[in-house]
Amino acid sequence: YDIPSDYMLNFSATHPGVSNTVSDYVRPECSTTAPKKKTEKMNLFNSWEEQRTAEMFIDNYSIPAVRTTYVDIAMNFPDDSEDVFHVVLAETILRNKKNLHHYVITGCSERWPEDKVGKAVTRFEAMGCDKSFGGWAPGKAIIETPSWLGRPLGKAAGILAFVVNVHYDNPDEEIGRVSNDGIRIFYTPTLRPDTLSALSVTQVSTNLAMVIPPRKERFFLTRSCTINVTDPDGQPGVFNLASMGYHAHLLGVEMWSEYTPAGGSSMDLG
């Protein structure tokens, strides 16, 4: 994120989604709203890095004629020339905008047989793929990185292949819908100084005890957690927040987060 100007840092916006009128509003000078410092551009190779790209696809999956479908798809990472690579950017190759809802991607330590690649596999077959890699929903990338950070991938990282849990929506219950969507990974064997990992601070999938009150225009669920960061040796480590992602279904319409470093003030993550 950019470092905001003093004006923007202290600016109080109206509550999201609620219109109002401010009678004493004075438009500021543009110079007072410009960031003190612009953040660096994300998802780019550094000039000294070797640049590689890999693409993997779903192989003609026939989407069932039902409202919603979840299926696990097997994919192999095609490059085994090095023990470890760093992912610079991973994105979705979106060919079926009407039906593709989201991906949840986990890594596998063993490669899939060729006859399984791009095909649906069972939950039992996918059990060994338990390394969190990334996720996608419309409007976001699977993995994003700044110039100093890479997501490890390869034999030494324990990821030679993937299971992509795919959610399809078919609200019209159409027959004959087919998915050839995929994943594109930009990566390098030129390893970066730091590595990327991910964590979930709030996850509500199925909770019969959580009820949204009737006839209530707006309702919020708020949670907080404390993160303890350690290095591979179990000693206190350094945590740098690079990106934040959100995902919701049906009644979920907005989310935002705050991050508070130890001994510091809270930062609005949007």
Side-chain angles (χ1 to χ4, degrees):
Y1 292 94
D2 296 342
I3 297 176
S5 67
D6 292 336
Y7 175 87
M8 294 303 299
L9 187 64
N10 295 292
F11 180 76
S12 297
T14 58
H15 195 285
V18 178
S19 61
N20 62 5
T21 301
V22 180
S23 59
D24 59 348
Y25 175 77
V26 177
R27 183 175 180 175
E29 292 290 334
C30 290
S31 60
T32 67
T33 65
K36 289 183 179 179
K37 182 180 179 181
K38 295 286 290 183
T39 190
E40 66 175 85
K41 293 183 178 180
M42 300 279 284
N43 311 321
L44 299 176
F45 286 103
N46 294 304
S47 60
W48 59 88
E49 293 174 338
E50 182 179 338
Q51 303 181 19
R52 300 187 188 180
T53 306
E55 294 183 346
M56 297 154 284
F57 292 93
I58 298 167
D59 188 5
N60 292 315
Y61 177 75
S62 295
I63 301 170
V66 295
R67 176 65 178 82
T68 190
T69 297
Y70 290 86
V71 62
D72 288 326
I73 301 292
M75 293 183 179
N76 282 338
F77 181 64
D79 192 345
D80 60 0
S81 62
E82 303 283 350
D83 280 346
V84 65
F85 304 94
H86 273 175
V87 176
V88 173
L89 169 67
E91 61 185 13
T92 291
I93 301 172
L94 182 58
R95 294 178 172 176
N96 187 341
K97 293 182 180 180
K98 184 172 185 179
N99 300 113
L100 187 61
H101 188 276
H102 75 258
Y103 290 157
V104 176
I105 305 168
T106 51
C108 318
S109 58
E110 302 290 338
R111 295 176 64 82
W112 291 99
E114 284 303 314
D115 63 332
K116 296 285 188 180
V117 174
K119 304 294 187 181
V121 293
T122 66
R123 273 287 163 179
F124 178 78
E125 291 175 298
M127 283 179 60
C129 301
D130 56 1
K131 297 175 178 63
S132 177
F133 182 77
W136 170 83
K140 70 183 295 288
I142 297 168
I143 289 177
E144 298 182 277
T145 66
S147 63
W148 42 268
L149 188 66
R151 175 66 168 92
L153 173 62
K155 183 178 180 180
I159 301 179
L160 294 173
F162 303 100
V163 162
V164 185
N165 182 258
V166 188
H167 177 194
Y168 294 104
D169 268 342
N170 191 356
D172 299 326
E173 299 186 354
E174 293 181 77
I175 297 172
R177 300 294 298 175
V178 175
S179 172
N180 290 289
D181 305 281
I183 296 170
R184 182 181 295 114
I185 298 178
F186 299 88
Y187 66 102
T188 178
T190 312
L191 302 184
R192 293 180 165 185
D194 292 299
T195 57
L196 173 69
S197 60
L199 64 130
S200 177
V201 294
T202 297
Q203 184 172 340
V204 179
S205 296
T206 303
N207 185 347
L208 298 179
M210 191 180 79
V211 178
I212 298 175
R215 296 181 296 276
K216 193 170 182 66
E217 184 176 345
R218 296 171 66 82
F219 177 75
F220 297 90
L221 170 67
T222 303
R223 292 187 63 185
S224 63
C225 65
T226 300
I227 302 169
N228 295 312
V229 182
T230 57
D231 65 17
D233 297 323
Q235 299 302 311
V238 177
F239 172 74
N240 293 290
L241 183 62
S243 65
M244 190 82 180
Y246 305 100
H247 183 70
H249 292 224
L250 301 177
L251 299 178
V253 295
E254 62 184 84
M255 300 182 190
W256 64 87
S257 300
E258 292 182 349
Y259 165 59
T260 307
S265 55
S266 294
M267 179 187 303
D268 185 355
L269 300 180

